Amino acid sequence: MFAGRTRETLVGEVLLPGDEEKQQRQEKRVRRGFFGTLKRAARYIPFSQDVVASYHCALDPRTPASSRGILLAALAYFVLPFDVVPDFIVGLGFTDDAAVLLAALTAVRSNIRPEHYEKARETLAEDEETEAAR
């Protein structure tokens, strides 16, 4: 599917904000698959709090449309199980996802506000409590 493309080209293509309809499709995909993917990827992505903050930022209607689009594109790529490096490859599967997420975070960092980080901390703490209860 992505054979012959460089990571830089792919990141550039993935992070295109897209039109409103594309953003809505990506938002549905992100809402449906984000937390399951995060649980599988958390130990491979050292900036998980930033990723969860970007999730909350992307879903915040106050976030500028272009930044929402970039984040939704990156998060939609993150939740796809088959991409440049399939996620099921242990130890390598999330490296391309991490690169795309880091590029998106860098591009929109100024729009990820303190309240998004607060929600991220709460989300991660709730997830830890749920895991501990099991």
Side-chain angles (χ1 to χ4, degrees):
M1 178 170 164
F2 297 109
R5 295 185 183 176
T6 65
R7 179 169 286 164
E8 291 77 21
T9 301
L10 179 64
V11 169
E13 290 175 11
V14 169
L15 295 181
L16 293 175
D19 60 19
E20 184 65 29
E21 183 180 320
K22 182 176 181 180
Q23 285 185 23
Q24 288 175 352
R25 284 192 317 269
Q26 289 174 327
E27 182 174 338
K28 286 179 185 176
R29 182 181 301 139
V30 169
R31 285 181 184 272
R32 190 173 50 247
F34 179 75
F35 289 104
T37 303
L38 180 67
K39 286 179 183 182
R40 291 189 310 277
R43 67 175 173 239
Y44 302 110
I45 299 177
F47 51 96
S48 294
Q49 182 173 308
D50 294 306
V51 173
V52 179
S54 71
Y55 170 84
H56 290 294
C57 181
L59 300 181
D60 185 342
R62 297 172 297 163
T63 300
S66 60
S67 293
R68 278 178 44 94
I70 289 169
L71 289 172
L72 287 170
L75 292 167
Y77 183 82
F78 175 62
V79 301
L80 289 174
F82 297 101
D83 41 46
V84 173
V85 181
D87 296 342
F88 62 82
I89 298 175
V90 177
L92 295 177
F94 289 103
T95 56
D96 60 319
D97 301 83
V100 169
L101 289 167
L102 191 55
L105 288 167
T106 301
V108 302
R109 177 134 341 253
S110 64
N111 291 301
I112 302 175
R113 295 187 302 277
E115 60 262 28
H116 299 138
Y117 277 100
E118 180 59 33
K119 285 183 180 179
R121 284 188 289 279
E122 290 171 7
T123 299
L124 292 169
E126 288 170 8
D127 189 52
E128 287 178 11
E129 289 174 12
T130 302
E131 288 298 314
R134 289 183 183 186

